[in-house]
Amino acid sequence: MGLTLKGLRHTVATILREMGKDYATIAEMLGQKTEAMAKHYSRRADTSKKMAETVSDFDAEVNRRKTSRRQIVSRRGRTTTKHKELNYTKKQ
């Protein structure tokens, strides 16, 4: 079994997809006219690692937003706080 241009296209497309590149970028790199061809050549890419990173990043952002203070301006121009941090200290 020898090297072929088709085999190299599959390899390059797979590596690029596993790196998280989009189909437009892969198509441009391979000289393809359509994103559908880039999708075809990269169909065997294992994107589970990239998806795990994405889920982790998303989870961190959700937690950051839960604990951060966001301020909004009311209709009267006063600044109010939305989603305040919880403070359960008892007054003595």
Side-chain angles (χ1 to χ4, degrees), residues 39-87:
K39 188 174 183 178
H40 167 77
Y41 280 111
S42 64
R43 71 183 181 270
R44 295 181 187 203
D46 180 9
T47 57
S48 60
K49 181 179 176 184
K50 191 66 178 171
M51 287 300 106
E53 291 173 6
T54 301
V55 169
S56 178
D57 291 346
F58 178 76
D59 190 41
E61 178 63 18
V62 168
N63 287 331
R64 185 190 68 78
R65 289 181 183 210
K66 281 182 184 177
T67 59
S68 70
R69 292 176 148 204
R70 294 191 301 167
Q71 297 201 351
I72 59 171
V73 178
S74 69
R75 289 183 186 180
R76 295 183 182 172
R78 294 182 301 198
T79 301
T80 58
T81 303
K82 185 177 181 182
H83 301 295
K84 293 182 182 179
E85 292 179 352
L86 298 177
N87 185 359

mmCIF file of all heavy atoms in Angstrom, residues 39-87:
data_model
loop_
_atom_site.group_PDB
_atom_site.id
_atom_site.type_symbol
_atom_site.label_atom_id
_atom_site.label_comp_id
_atom_site.label_asym_id
_atom_site.label_seq_id
_atom_site.Cartn_x
_atom_site.Cartn_y
_atom_site.Cartn_z
ATOM 1 N N LYS A 39 -15.538 18.238 5.041
ATOM 2 C CA LYS A 39 -16.224 17.377 6.014
ATOM 3 C C LYS A 39 -16.009 15.908 5.659
ATOM 4 O O LYS A 39 -15.765 15.078 6.536
ATOM 5 C CB LYS A 39 -17.718 17.718 6.036
ATOM 6 C CG LYS A 39 -18.473 17.033 7.134
ATOM 7 C CD LYS A 39 -19.911 17.540 7.192
ATOM 8 C CE LYS A 39 -20.652 16.903 8.344
ATOM 9 N NZ LYS A 39 -22.024 17.390 8.463
ATOM 10 N N HIS A 40 -16.095 15.593 4.370
ATOM 11 C CA HIS A 40 -15.875 14.222 3.913
ATOM 12 C C HIS A 40 -14.467 13.737 4.268
ATOM 13 O O HIS A 40 -14.289 12.655 4.806
ATOM 14 C CB HIS A 40 -16.088 14.140 2.394
ATOM 15 C CG HIS A 40 -15.595 12.863 1.794
ATOM 16 N ND1 HIS A 40 -16.279 11.675 1.904
ATOM 17 C CD2 HIS A 40 -14.453 12.587 1.094
ATOM 18 C CE1 HIS A 40 -15.590 10.726 1.285
ATOM 19 N NE2 HIS A 40 -14.485 11.259 0.786
ATOM 20 N N TYR A 41 -13.461 14.550 3.969
ATOM 21 C CA TYR A 41 -12.089 14.137 4.212
ATOM 22 C C TYR A 41 -11.733 14.082 5.693
ATOM 23 O O TYR A 41 -10.815 13.375 6.084
ATOM 24 C CB TYR A 41 -11.103 15.057 3.468
ATOM 25 C CG TYR A 41 -10.979 14.709 2.011
ATOM 26 C CD1 TYR A 41 -11.474 15.558 1.033
ATOM 27 C CD2 TYR A 41 -10.369 13.525 1.609
ATOM 28 C CE1 TYR A 41 -11.373 15.232 -0.311
ATOM 29 C CE2 TYR A 41 -10.265 13.188 0.275
ATOM 30 C CZ TYR A 41 -10.759 14.043 -0.674
ATOM 31 O OH TYR A 41 -10.656 13.708 -2.007
ATOM 32 N N SER A 42 -12.453 14.805 6.531
ATOM 33 C CA SER A 42 -12.126 14.818 7.960
ATOM 34 C C SER A 42 -13.111 14.018 8.802
ATOM 35 O O SER A 42 -13.100 14.105 10.028
ATOM 36 C CB SER A 42 -12.075 16.258 8.457
ATOM 37 O OG SER A 42 -13.335 16.868 8.345
ATOM 38 N N ARG A 43 -13.934 13.203 8.176
ATOM 39 C CA ARG A 43 -15.011 12.507 8.891
ATOM 40 C C ARG A 43 -14.527 11.528 9.947
ATOM 41 O O ARG A 43 -15.255 11.190 10.865
ATOM 42 C CB ARG A 43 -15.938 11.804 7.907
ATOM 43 C CG ARG A 43 -15.342 10.588 7.222
ATOM 44 C CD ARG A 43 -16.303 9.973 6.205
ATOM 45 N NE ARG A 43 -15.740 8.814 5.565
ATOM 46 C CZ ARG A 43 -15.023 8.832 4.458
ATOM 47 N NH1 ARG A 43 -14.786 9.984 3.861
ATOM 48 N NH2 ARG A 43 -14.551 7.718 3.938
ATOM 49 N N ARG A 44 -13.296 11.073 9.864
ATOM 50 C CA ARG A 44 -12.792 10.102 10.848
ATOM 51 C C ARG A 44 -12.070 10.761 12.015
ATOM 52 O O ARG A 44 -11.511 10.085 12.858
ATOM 53 C CB ARG A 44 -11.862 9.119 10.158
ATOM 54 C CG ARG A 44 -12.611 8.279 9.150
ATOM 55 C CD ARG A 44 -11.739 7.294 8.482
ATOM 56 N NE ARG A 44 -12.525 6.663 7.414
ATOM 57 C CZ ARG A 44 -12.259 5.509 6.910
ATOM 58 N NH1 ARG A 44 -11.226 4.822 7.340
ATOM 59 N NH2 ARG A 44 -13.017 5.010 5.958
ATOM 60 N N ALA A 45 -12.100 12.067 12.073
ATOM 61 C CA ALA A 45 -11.421 12.782 13.155
ATOM 62 C C ALA A 45 -12.081 12.466 14.489
ATOM 63 O O ALA A 45 -13.299 12.379 14.597
ATOM 64 C CB ALA A 45 -11.468 14.280 12.895
ATOM 65 N N ASP A 46 -11.248 12.272 15.494
ATOM 66 C CA ASP A 46 -11.735 12.033 16.854
ATOM 67 C C ASP A 46 -11.823 13.391 17.548
ATOM 68 O O ASP A 46 -10.816 13.944 17.979
ATOM 69 C CB ASP A 46 -10.779 11.104 17.604
ATOM 70 C CG ASP A 46 -11.232 10.834 19.025
ATOM 71 O OD1 ASP A 46 -12.360 11.226 19.387
ATOM 72 O OD2 ASP A 46 -10.452 10.227 19.783
ATOM 73 N N THR A 47 -13.018 13.919 17.643
ATOM 74 C CA THR A 47 -13.208 15.247 18.238
ATOM 75 C C THR A 47 -13.624 15.165 19.706
ATOM 76 O O THR A 47 -13.967 16.178 20.301
ATOM 77 C CB THR A 47 -14.262 16.045 17.449
ATOM 78 O OG1 THR A 47 -15.482 15.302 17.417
ATOM 79 C CG2 THR A 47 -13.789 16.342 16.032
ATOM 80 N N SER A 48 -13.557 13.994 20.298
ATOM 81 C CA SER A 48 -13.997 13.848 21.689
ATOM 82 C C SER A 48 -13.138 14.669 22.650
ATOM 83 O O SER A 48 -13.656 15.254 23.599
ATOM 84 C CB SER A 48 -14.004 12.376 22.104
ATOM 85 O OG SER A 48 -12.705 11.824 21.996
ATOM 86 N N LYS A 49 -11.828 14.747 22.413
ATOM 87 C CA LYS A 49 -10.950 15.538 23.277
ATOM 88 C C LYS A 49 -11.312 17.017 23.178
ATOM 89 O O LYS A 49 -11.409 17.714 24.181
ATOM 90 C CB LYS A 49 -9.490 15.329 22.894
ATOM 91 C CG LYS A 49 -8.534 16.088 23.764
ATOM 92 C CD LYS A 49 -7.085 15.829 23.365
ATOM 93 C CE LYS A 49 -6.141 16.682 24.194
ATOM 94 N NZ LYS A 49 -4.749 16.526 23.780
ATOM 95 N N LYS A 50 -11.531 17.484 21.951
ATOM 96 C CA LYS A 50 -11.894 18.886 21.739
ATOM 97 C C LYS A 50 -13.250 19.176 22.381
ATOM 98 O O LYS A 50 -13.445 20.231 22.985
ATOM 99 C CB LYS A 50 -11.925 19.198 20.239
ATOM 100 C CG LYS A 50 -12.026 20.648 19.929
ATOM 101 C CD LYS A 50 -10.780 21.386 20.361
ATOM 102 C CE LYS A 50 -10.864 22.843 19.996
ATOM 103 N NZ LYS A 50 -9.791 23.611 20.572
ATOM 104 N N MET A 51 -14.193 18.254 22.277
ATOM 105 C CA MET A 51 -15.505 18.461 22.883
ATOM 106 C C MET A 51 -15.391 18.484 24.405
ATOM 107 O O MET A 51 -16.067 19.274 25.066
ATOM 108 C CB MET A 51 -16.493 17.379 22.445
ATOM 109 C CG MET A 51 -16.951 17.520 21.001
ATOM 110 S SD MET A 51 -17.788 19.082 20.689
ATOM 111 C CE MET A 51 -16.548 19.952 19.767
ATOM 112 N N ALA A 52 -14.545 17.637 24.972
ATOM 113 C CA ALA A 52 -14.341 17.637 26.421
ATOM 114 C C ALA A 52 -13.772 18.976 26.882
ATOM 115 O O ALA A 52 -14.192 19.525 27.908
ATOM 116 C CB ALA A 52 -13.410 16.501 26.829
ATOM 117 N N GLU A 53 -12.841 19.540 26.122
ATOM 118 C CA GLU A 53 -12.284 20.858 26.440
ATOM 119 C C GLU A 53 -13.360 21.927 26.341
ATOM 120 O O GLU A 53 -13.429 22.826 27.185
ATOM 121 C CB GLU A 53 -11.132 21.194 25.491
ATOM 122 C CG GLU A 53 -9.894 20.358 25.696
ATOM 123 C CD GLU A 53 -8.844 20.610 24.614
ATOM 124 O OE1 GLU A 53 -9.043 21.512 23.771
ATOM 125 O OE2 GLU A 53 -7.834 19.896 24.620
ATOM 126 N N THR A 54 -14.205 21.832 25.327
ATOM 127 C CA THR A 54 -15.268 22.813 25.131
ATOM 128 C C THR A 54 -16.264 22.759 26.280
ATOM 129 O O THR A 54 -16.673 23.797 26.807
ATOM 130 C CB THR A 54 -15.982 22.575 23.787
ATOM 131 O OG1 THR A 54 -15.007 22.667 22.743
ATOM 132 C CG2 THR A 54 -17.088 23.580 23.547
ATOM 133 N N VAL A 55 -16.649 21.563 26.687
ATOM 134 C CA VAL A 55 -17.581 21.404 27.803
ATOM 135 C C VAL A 55 -16.963 21.949 29.083
ATOM 136 O O VAL A 55 -17.613 22.649 29.864
ATOM 137 C CB VAL A 55 -18.001 19.925 27.968
ATOM 138 C CG1 VAL A 55 -18.745 19.706 29.270
ATOM 139 C CG2 VAL A 55 -18.855 19.492 26.790
ATOM 140 N N SER A 56 -15.694 21.678 29.296
ATOM 141 C CA SER A 56 -14.993 22.178 30.478
ATOM 142 C C SER A 56 -14.935 23.706 30.480
ATOM 143 O O SER A 56 -15.180 24.352 31.501
ATOM 144 C CB SER A 56 -13.581 21.595 30.528
ATOM 145 O OG SER A 56 -12.881 22.098 31.631
ATOM 146 N N ASP A 57 -14.619 24.295 29.324
ATOM 147 C CA ASP A 57 -14.589 25.754 29.202
ATOM 148 C C ASP A 57 -15.966 26.354 29.456
ATOM 149 O O ASP A 57 -16.105 27.381 30.126
ATOM 150 C CB ASP A 57 -14.096 26.179 27.816
ATOM 151 C CG ASP A 57 -12.629 25.870 27.588
ATOM 152 O OD1 ASP A 57 -11.910 25.568 28.564
ATOM 153 O OD2 ASP A 57 -12.204 25.920 26.416
ATOM 154 N N PHE A 58 -16.997 25.703 28.915
ATOM 155 C CA PHE A 58 -18.367 26.181 29.098
ATOM 156 C C PHE A 58 -18.757 26.119 30.572
ATOM 157 O O PHE A 58 -19.330 27.063 31.119
ATOM 158 C CB PHE A 58 -19.334 25.348 28.256
ATOM 159 C CG PHE A 58 -20.774 25.757 28.418
ATOM 160 C CD1 PHE A 58 -21.250 26.896 27.803
ATOM 161 C CD2 PHE A 58 -21.637 25.003 29.186
ATOM 162 C CE1 PHE A 58 -22.574 27.292 27.964
ATOM 163 C CE2 PHE A 58 -22.955 25.383 29.345
ATOM 164 C CZ PHE A 58 -23.424 26.521 28.729
ATOM 165 N N ASP A 59 -18.436 25.020 31.232
ATOM 166 C CA ASP A 59 -18.745 24.849 32.648
ATOM 167 C C ASP A 59 -18.055 25.925 33.489
ATOM 168 O O ASP A 59 -18.668 26.508 34.383
ATOM 169 C CB ASP A 59 -18.313 23.451 33.105
ATOM 170 C CG ASP A 59 -18.814 23.120 34.493
ATOM 171 O OD1 ASP A 59 -19.983 23.451 34.794
ATOM 172 O OD2 ASP A 59 -18.035 22.525 35.271
ATOM 173 N N ALA A 60 -16.789 26.206 33.196
ATOM 174 C CA ALA A 60 -16.060 27.245 33.918
ATOM 175 C C ALA A 60 -16.716 28.608 33.721
ATOM 176 O O ALA A 60 -16.821 29.406 34.662
ATOM 177 C CB ALA A 60 -14.600 27.280 33.466
ATOM 178 N N GLU A 61 -17.171 28.899 32.507
ATOM 179 C CA GLU A 61 -17.824 30.182 32.230
ATOM 180 C C GLU A 61 -19.153 30.296 32.967
ATOM 181 O O GLU A 61 -19.480 31.345 33.510
ATOM 182 C CB GLU A 61 -18.040 30.364 30.725
ATOM 183 C CG GLU A 61 -18.740 31.637 30.335
ATOM 184 C CD GLU A 61 -17.989 32.915 30.695
ATOM 185 O OE1 GLU A 61 -16.762 32.857 30.959
ATOM 186 O OE2 GLU A 61 -18.630 33.983 30.720
ATOM 187 N N VAL A 62 -19.925 29.213 33.009
ATOM 188 C CA VAL A 62 -21.201 29.227 33.734
ATOM 189 C C VAL A 62 -20.940 29.481 35.213
ATOM 190 O O VAL A 62 -21.613 30.307 35.841
ATOM 191 C CB VAL A 62 -21.970 27.900 33.518
ATOM 192 C CG1 VAL A 62 -23.135 27.786 34.497
ATOM 193 C CG2 VAL A 62 -22.474 27.808 32.096
ATOM 194 N N ASN A 63 -19.947 28.811 35.782
ATOM 195 C CA ASN A 63 -19.619 29.017 37.195
ATOM 196 C C ASN A 63 -19.119 30.438 37.447
ATOM 197 O O ASN A 63 -19.436 31.037 38.466
ATOM 198 C CB ASN A 63 -18.582 28.001 37.666
ATOM 199 C CG ASN A 63 -19.185 26.622 37.815
ATOM 200 O OD1 ASN A 63 -20.375 26.484 38.100
ATOM 201 N ND2 ASN A 63 -18.385 25.604 37.602
ATOM 202 N N ARG A 64 -18.344 30.990 36.522
ATOM 203 C CA ARG A 64 -17.866 32.359 36.665
ATOM 204 C C ARG A 64 -19.039 33.334 36.688
ATOM 205 O O ARG A 64 -19.083 34.255 37.496
ATOM 206 C CB ARG A 64 -16.920 32.724 35.524
ATOM 207 C CG ARG A 64 -16.276 34.102 35.680
ATOM 208 C CD ARG A 64 -15.543 34.531 34.432
ATOM 209 N NE ARG A 64 -16.451 34.804 33.315
ATOM 210 C CZ ARG A 64 -17.166 35.924 33.176
ATOM 211 N NH1 ARG A 64 -17.118 36.870 34.080
ATOM 212 N NH2 ARG A 64 -17.947 36.096 32.127
ATOM 213 N N ARG A 65 -19.999 33.085 35.828
ATOM 214 C CA ARG A 65 -21.158 33.976 35.767
ATOM 215 C C ARG A 65 -22.041 33.848 36.996
ATOM 216 O O ARG A 65 -22.678 34.802 37.406
ATOM 217 C CB ARG A 65 -21.977 33.704 34.509
ATOM 218 C CG ARG A 65 -21.280 34.168 33.263
ATOM 219 C CD ARG A 65 -22.106 33.918 32.042
ATOM 220 N NE ARG A 65 -21.389 34.312 30.855
ATOM 221 C CZ ARG A 65 -21.971 34.752 29.764
ATOM 222 N NH1 ARG A 65 -23.295 34.819 29.696
ATOM 223 N NH2 ARG A 65 -21.257 35.089 28.725
ATOM 224 N N LYS A 66 -22.097 32.652 37.579
ATOM 225 C CA LYS A 66 -22.909 32.451 38.778
ATOM 226 C C LYS A 66 -22.357 33.267 39.936
ATOM 227 O O LYS A 66 -23.114 33.772 40.754
ATOM 228 C CB LYS A 66 -22.926 30.981 39.183
ATOM 229 C CG LYS A 66 -23.851 30.113 38.388
ATOM 230 C CD LYS A 66 -23.797 28.701 38.930
ATOM 231 C CE LYS A 66 -24.617 27.749 38.120
ATOM 232 N NZ LYS A 66 -24.493 26.367 38.620
ATOM 233 N N THR A 67 -21.050 33.363 40.039
ATOM 234 C CA THR A 67 -20.439 33.998 41.195
ATOM 235 C C THR A 67 -20.087 35.461 40.978
ATOM 236 O O THR A 67 -19.778 36.164 41.912
ATOM 237 C CB THR A 67 -19.166 33.243 41.616
ATOM 238 O OG1 THR A 67 -18.250 33.224 40.518
ATOM 239 C CG2 THR A 67 -19.488 31.827 42.033
ATOM 240 N N SER A 68 -20.131 35.907 39.752
ATOM 241 C CA SER A 68 -19.768 37.308 39.503
ATOM 242 C C SER A 68 -20.967 38.216 39.738
ATOM 243 O O SER A 68 -22.114 37.800 39.688
ATOM 244 C CB SER A 68 -19.235 37.481 38.090
ATOM 245 O OG SER A 68 -20.274 37.313 37.154
ATOM 246 N N ARG A 69 -20.651 39.458 39.957
ATOM 247 C CA ARG A 69 -21.726 40.441 40.131
ATOM 248 C C ARG A 69 -21.917 41.164 38.808
ATOM 249 O O ARG A 69 -20.976 41.684 38.235
ATOM 250 C CB ARG A 69 -21.365 41.445 41.197
ATOM 251 C CG ARG A 69 -21.310 40.852 42.547
ATOM 252 C CD ARG A 69 -20.850 41.872 43.525
ATOM 253 N NE ARG A 69 -21.501 41.565 44.785
ATOM 254 C CZ ARG A 69 -21.720 42.421 45.732
ATOM 255 N NH1 ARG A 69 -21.333 43.659 45.591
ATOM 256 N NH2 ARG A 69 -22.314 42.059 46.846
ATOM 257 N N ARG A 70 -23.132 41.134 38.334
ATOM 258 C CA ARG A 70 -23.451 41.867 37.112
ATOM 259 C C ARG A 70 -24.331 43.034 37.482
ATOM 260 O O ARG A 70 -25.322 42.875 38.191
ATOM 261 C CB ARG A 70 -24.153 40.964 36.110
ATOM 262 C CG ARG A 70 -23.248 39.859 35.601
ATOM 263 C CD ARG A 70 -23.858 39.151 34.448
ATOM 264 N NE ARG A 70 -25.139 38.562 34.819
ATOM 265 C CZ ARG A 70 -26.003 38.095 33.949
ATOM 266 N NH1 ARG A 70 -25.741 38.131 32.670
ATOM 267 N NH2 ARG A 70 -27.142 37.575 34.335
ATOM 268 N N GLN A 71 -23.961 44.168 36.998
ATOM 269 C CA GLN A 71 -24.752 45.348 37.295
ATOM 270 C C GLN A 71 -25.553 45.753 36.070
ATOM 271 O O GLN A 71 -25.069 45.669 34.957
ATOM 272 C CB GLN A 71 -23.855 46.493 37.732
ATOM 273 C CG GLN A 71 -23.132 46.166 39.017
ATOM 274 C CD GLN A 71 -22.670 47.410 39.728
ATOM 275 O OE1 GLN A 71 -22.751 48.488 39.187
ATOM 276 N NE2 GLN A 71 -22.216 47.235 40.935
ATOM 277 N N ILE A 72 -26.762 46.141 36.333
ATOM 278 C CA ILE A 72 -27.624 46.622 35.256
ATOM 279 C C ILE A 72 -28.133 48.002 35.622
ATOM 280 O O ILE A 72 -28.180 48.373 36.792
ATOM 281 C CB ILE A 72 -28.811 45.671 34.993
ATOM 282 C CG1 ILE A 72 -29.667 45.518 36.252
ATOM 283 C CG2 ILE A 72 -28.330 44.317 34.511
ATOM 284 C CD1 ILE A 72 -30.944 44.794 36.032
ATOM 285 N N VAL A 73 -28.474 48.737 34.646
ATOM 286 C CA VAL A 73 -28.996 50.079 34.885
ATOM 287 C C VAL A 73 -30.512 50.028 34.779
ATOM 288 O O VAL A 73 -31.067 49.544 33.793
ATOM 289 C CB VAL A 73 -28.410 51.073 33.856
ATOM 290 C CG1 VAL A 73 -29.000 52.458 34.071
ATOM 291 C CG2 VAL A 73 -26.901 51.088 33.946
ATOM 292 N N SER A 74 -31.166 50.528 35.813
ATOM 293 C CA SER A 74 -32.627 50.512 35.803
ATOM 294 C C SER A 74 -33.141 51.604 34.879
ATOM 295 O O SER A 74 -32.395 52.422 34.372
ATOM 296 C CB SER A 74 -33.157 50.725 37.225
ATOM 297 O OG SER A 74 -32.892 52.041 37.637
ATOM 298 N N ARG A 75 -34.422 51.636 34.696
ATOM 299 C CA ARG A 75 -35.041 52.618 33.798
ATOM 300 C C ARG A 75 -34.816 54.046 34.276
ATOM 301 O O ARG A 75 -34.782 54.974 33.489
ATOM 302 C CB ARG A 75 -36.530 52.350 33.671
ATOM 303 C CG ARG A 75 -36.812 51.106 32.883
ATOM 304 C CD ARG A 75 -38.280 50.911 32.714
ATOM 305 N NE ARG A 75 -38.529 49.630 32.071
ATOM 306 C CZ ARG A 75 -39.721 49.183 31.793
ATOM 307 N NH1 ARG A 75 -40.791 49.879 32.112
ATOM 308 N NH2 ARG A 75 -39.872 48.019 31.206
ATOM 309 N N ARG A 76 -34.669 54.234 35.578
ATOM 310 C CA ARG A 76 -34.476 55.576 36.126
ATOM 311 C C ARG A 76 -33.007 55.998 36.120
ATOM 312 O O ARG A 76 -32.678 57.067 36.583
ATOM 313 C CB ARG A 76 -35.004 55.638 37.548
ATOM 314 C CG ARG A 76 -36.490 55.445 37.617
ATOM 315 C CD ARG A 76 -36.964 55.579 39.022
ATOM 316 N NE ARG A 76 -38.397 55.335 39.103
ATOM 317 C CZ ARG A 76 -39.054 55.233 40.227
ATOM 318 N NH1 ARG A 76 -38.423 55.351 41.371
ATOM 319 N NH2 ARG A 76 -40.346 55.013 40.221
ATOM 320 N N GLY A 77 -32.134 55.130 35.615
ATOM 321 C CA GLY A 77 -30.724 55.487 35.547
ATOM 322 C C GLY A 77 -29.920 55.062 36.760
ATOM 323 O O GLY A 77 -28.733 55.304 36.848
ATOM 324 N N ARG A 78 -30.588 54.424 37.734
ATOM 325 C CA ARG A 78 -29.868 53.950 38.908
ATOM 326 C C ARG A 78 -29.210 52.614 38.584
ATOM 327 O O ARG A 78 -29.734 51.812 37.825
ATOM 328 C CB ARG A 78 -30.817 53.754 40.095
ATOM 329 C CG ARG A 78 -31.408 55.053 40.596
ATOM 330 C CD ARG A 78 -32.283 54.785 41.771
ATOM 331 N NE ARG A 78 -33.340 53.847 41.359
ATOM 332 C CZ ARG A 78 -34.463 53.656 42.008
ATOM 333 N NH1 ARG A 78 -34.710 54.328 43.089
ATOM 334 N NH2 ARG A 78 -35.360 52.786 41.581
ATOM 335 N N THR A 79 -28.092 52.377 39.215
ATOM 336 C CA THR A 79 -27.395 51.115 39.021
ATOM 337 C C THR A 79 -27.865 50.139 40.085
ATOM 338 O O THR A 79 -27.893 50.460 41.273
ATOM 339 C CB THR A 79 -25.875 51.307 39.139
ATOM 340 O OG1 THR A 79 -25.484 52.256 38.159
ATOM 341 C CG2 THR A 79 -25.137 50.009 38.909
ATOM 342 N N THR A 80 -28.261 48.973 39.653
ATOM 343 C CA THR A 80 -28.663 47.928 40.586
ATOM 344 C C THR A 80 -27.817 46.699 40.318
ATOM 345 O O THR A 80 -27.205 46.560 39.276
ATOM 346 C CB THR A 80 -30.153 47.566 40.412
ATOM 347 O OG1 THR A 80 -30.347 47.140 39.066
ATOM 348 C CG2 THR A 80 -31.042 48.750 40.698
ATOM 349 N N THR A 81 -27.779 45.828 41.278
ATOM 350 C CA THR A 81 -26.987 44.605 41.138
ATOM 351 C C THR A 81 -27.904 43.434 40.860
ATOM 352 O O THR A 81 -28.916 43.258 41.523
ATOM 353 C CB THR A 81 -26.172 44.339 42.413
ATOM 354 O OG1 THR A 81 -25.360 45.469 42.665
ATOM 355 C CG2 THR A 81 -25.295 43.118 42.249
ATOM 356 N N LYS A 82 -27.545 42.643 39.883
ATOM 357 C CA LYS A 82 -28.307 41.455 39.515
ATOM 358 C C LYS A 82 -27.436 40.246 39.822
ATOM 359 O O LYS A 82 -26.228 40.274 39.621
ATOM 360 C CB LYS A 82 -28.642 41.512 38.028
ATOM 361 C CG LYS A 82 -29.526 40.402 37.551
ATOM 362 C CD LYS A 82 -29.845 40.609 36.085
ATOM 363 C CE LYS A 82 -30.748 39.514 35.574
ATOM 364 N NZ LYS A 82 -31.028 39.655 34.160
ATOM 365 N N HIS A 83 -28.002 39.188 40.302
ATOM 366 C CA HIS A 83 -27.285 37.959 40.631
ATOM 367 C C HIS A 83 -26.212 38.224 41.691
ATOM 368 O O HIS A 83 -25.031 38.013 41.472
ATOM 369 C CB HIS A 83 -26.633 37.326 39.394
ATOM 370 C CG HIS A 83 -27.599 36.986 38.320
ATOM 371 N ND1 HIS A 83 -28.579 36.043 38.482
ATOM 372 C CD2 HIS A 83 -27.760 37.469 37.073
ATOM 373 C CE1 HIS A 83 -29.291 35.951 37.372
ATOM 374 N NE2 HIS A 83 -28.822 36.816 36.505
ATOM 375 N N LYS A 84 -26.631 38.707 42.853
ATOM 376 C CA LYS A 84 -25.685 38.993 43.925
ATOM 377 C C LYS A 84 -25.080 37.697 44.459
ATOM 378 O O LYS A 84 -25.711 36.647 44.454
ATOM 379 C CB LYS A 84 -26.381 39.717 45.069
ATOM 380 C CG LYS A 84 -26.852 41.103 44.709
ATOM 381 C CD LYS A 84 -27.487 41.759 45.900
ATOM 382 C CE LYS A 84 -28.010 43.131 45.528
ATOM 383 N NZ LYS A 84 -28.654 43.786 46.657
ATOM 384 N N GLU A 85 -23.870 37.806 44.950
ATOM 385 C CA GLU A 85 -23.242 36.660 45.594
ATOM 386 C C GLU A 85 -23.989 36.390 46.892
ATOM 387 O O GLU A 85 -24.424 37.310 47.586
ATOM 388 C CB GLU A 85 -21.770 36.941 45.897
ATOM 389 C CG GLU A 85 -20.930 37.057 44.655
ATOM 390 C CD GLU A 85 -19.487 37.367 45.005
ATOM 391 O OE1 GLU A 85 -19.177 37.632 46.169
ATOM 392 O OE2 GLU A 85 -18.695 37.354 44.083
ATOM 393 N N LEU A 86 -24.109 35.125 47.237
ATOM 394 C CA LEU A 86 -24.820 34.767 48.457
ATOM 395 C C LEU A 86 -23.920 34.994 49.654
ATOM 396 O O LEU A 86 -22.750 34.631 49.647
ATOM 397 C CB LEU A 86 -25.260 33.299 48.388
ATOM 398 C CG LEU A 86 -26.230 32.972 47.256
ATOM 399 C CD1 LEU A 86 -26.518 31.483 47.251
ATOM 400 C CD2 LEU A 86 -27.518 33.741 47.413
ATOM 401 N N ASN A 87 -24.467 35.621 50.688
ATOM 402 C CA ASN A 87 -23.703 35.884 51.890
ATOM 403 C C ASN A 87 -24.546 35.417 53.053
ATOM 404 O O ASN A 87 -25.547 36.035 53.406
ATOM 405 C CB ASN A 87 -23.372 37.370 51.984
ATOM 406 C CG ASN A 87 -22.464 37.665 53.153
ATOM 407 O OD1 ASN A 87 -22.099 36.761 53.890
ATOM 408 N ND2 ASN A 87 -22.116 38.922 53.314
#
